[in-house]
Amino acid sequence: MQKEIARKGITDIVDLQPISSSRNIYLWKGDITTLKCGAIVNAANSQMLGCFQPCHGYIDNVIHTFAGVQLRLQCAEIMRAQGYEESTGQAKITPAYDLPCNHVIHTVGPIVQGKLTKKHCELLESCYRSCLEIAVQNKIESIAFCCISTGVFGFPQKAAAEIAVRTVQNFQKFHEIKVIFNVFKESDDEIYRQLLG
């Protein structure tokens, strides 16, 4: 897997330029599994074991595929010890194994079916805050966020981006950590560029 990732090309955070007036916020469009930084965030399911549908392009599946089978085994051990499914809005950390980053932080985002509610928004904010807190606790200096809960989880893109940016900016007032907003879709790239100026 490491050879395959190298073939795709690795992007190191040291080669990126901050997007906003804050020197610690970056916007990067690309494949998160090729990003070299302290940690990347995985939008996980509540079982924390990766996508169960083969060949699905969901980020959960892609991260587990390129990290290697050790990641699924580690997540299975964590969940066995915990004894229950992961709660929405919480986070767990694992090594990144074959990925170029050092860690993977897994968080379960809210699923929006129908109208977006205040509870959905609070849970998504908790996802970002939990990931940032676990990163700081583990002395991780940089973290890359995917667009948690958008796509198949149904969270509206713009509302999700607003929560992400606000939560990160508030957290950075008290903690020194570099944050990369990783986007894959052109529409997400445009939204984040508008929000970050």
Side-chain angles (χ1 to χ4, degrees), residues 4-22:
E4 179 61 21
I5 292 170
R7 186 191 64 77
K8 291 194 290 182
I10 294 171
T11 300
D12 195 316
I13 187 174
V14 300
D15 297 321
L16 300 180
Q17 294 296 318
I19 186 171
S20 71
S21 56
S22 166

Side-chain angles (χ1 to χ4, degrees), residues 44-133:
N45 59 44
S46 60
Q47 292 168 298
M48 293 273 291
L49 297 176
C51 177
F52 294 103
Q53 196 162 346
C55 301
H56 257 207
Y58 300 151
I59 193 165
D60 195 14
N61 201 36
V62 173
I63 287 173
H64 274 271
T65 297
F66 285 98
V69 69
Q70 306 100 310
L71 181 60
R72 190 165 293 207
L73 293 172
Q74 177 68 31
C75 287
E77 181 58 35
I78 290 169
M79 297 312 289
R80 249 194 314 273
Q82 179 166 289
Y84 54 89
E85 291 189 356
E86 185 70 356
S87 300
T88 302
Q90 301 304 305
K92 293 282 192 293
I93 189 169
T94 64
Y97 298 102
D98 287 336
L99 296 171
C101 59
N102 297 322
H103 299 88
V104 178
I105 298 176
H106 310 260
T107 190
V108 181
I111 298 172
V112 179
Q113 295 174 327
K115 185 180 177 183
L116 182 66
T117 66
K118 182 181 178 184
K119 184 65 173 176
H120 291 136
C121 296
E122 289 171 348
L123 287 169
L124 185 60
E125 181 181 336
S126 180
C127 286
Y128 282 94
R129 193 173 54 253
S130 296
C131 290
L132 290 163
E133 287 171 352

